[in-house]
Amino acid sequence: MTRLRLLVLLPVLGLLVLLGASPAAAATSPADVASALQRNPVFVESDAEAAGQVDADRVRTQVSASSRTIYVAVLPQRAATSLGSATKVAVAVARQVSGPAVVVVLVGDEVTAASTSGTGLQAGQAASLVRG
């Protein structure tokens, strides 16, 4: 059932065409993003390309319904440019969060994910689930 919820949730996050975003203050470093996610499971950087298309409250409601801890970060393309790829951003943020969690990132127009140990997911499995 948990995997089904994750499978249903992640494609929805991939679409991210909802209105009514609640952008957060700019903070692109993985440590800053992870810190923000520890306080609020959905982080939308105000200058992210998709910031105006994300309904952060709706995404927050969806991730809160999961039996897994899921964090979602919507970041500008420059985050991937500075680290090399969206996947590297997801991994870097996942390394900074505490406890078992799945970190989903939308960087520019690319969505991917990474998981920490203790989630029951194998390396690369979270990213595969997001990409379908």
Side-chain angles (χ1 to χ4, degrees), residues 36-76:
L37 290 171
Q38 297 286 156
R39 293 186 304 273
N40 182 339
V42 179
F43 176 84
V44 181
E45 190 160 341
S46 60
D47 66 336
E49 292 82 354
Q53 301 171 336
V54 177
D55 183 340
D57 291 331
R58 184 170 178 183
V59 174
R60 191 174 300 107
T61 298
Q62 289 179 320
V63 299
S64 296
S66 176
S67 60
R68 295 184 196 266
T69 300
I70 300 174
Y71 298 120
V72 178
V74 179
L75 303 170

Side-chain angles (χ1 to χ4, degrees), residues 53-117:
Q53 301 171 336
V54 177
D55 183 340
D57 291 331
R58 184 170 178 183
V59 174
R60 191 174 300 107
T61 298
Q62 289 179 320
V63 299
S64 296
S66 176
S67 60
R68 295 184 196 266
T69 300
I70 300 174
Y71 298 120
V72 178
V74 179
L75 303 170
Q77 181 60 43
R78 67 181 158 74
T81 302
S82 68
L83 290 177
S85 70
T87 299
K88 288 182 180 180
V89 172
V91 170
V93 173
R95 287 183 179 151
Q96 298 288 327
V97 299
S98 60
V102 175
V103 176
V104 179
V105 297
L106 174 63
V107 181
D109 63 356
E110 183 180 353
V111 66
T112 192
S115 61
T116 64
S117 62

Side-chain angles (χ1 to χ4, degrees), residues 28 33 116 130:
T28 303
V33 173
T116 64
V130 171

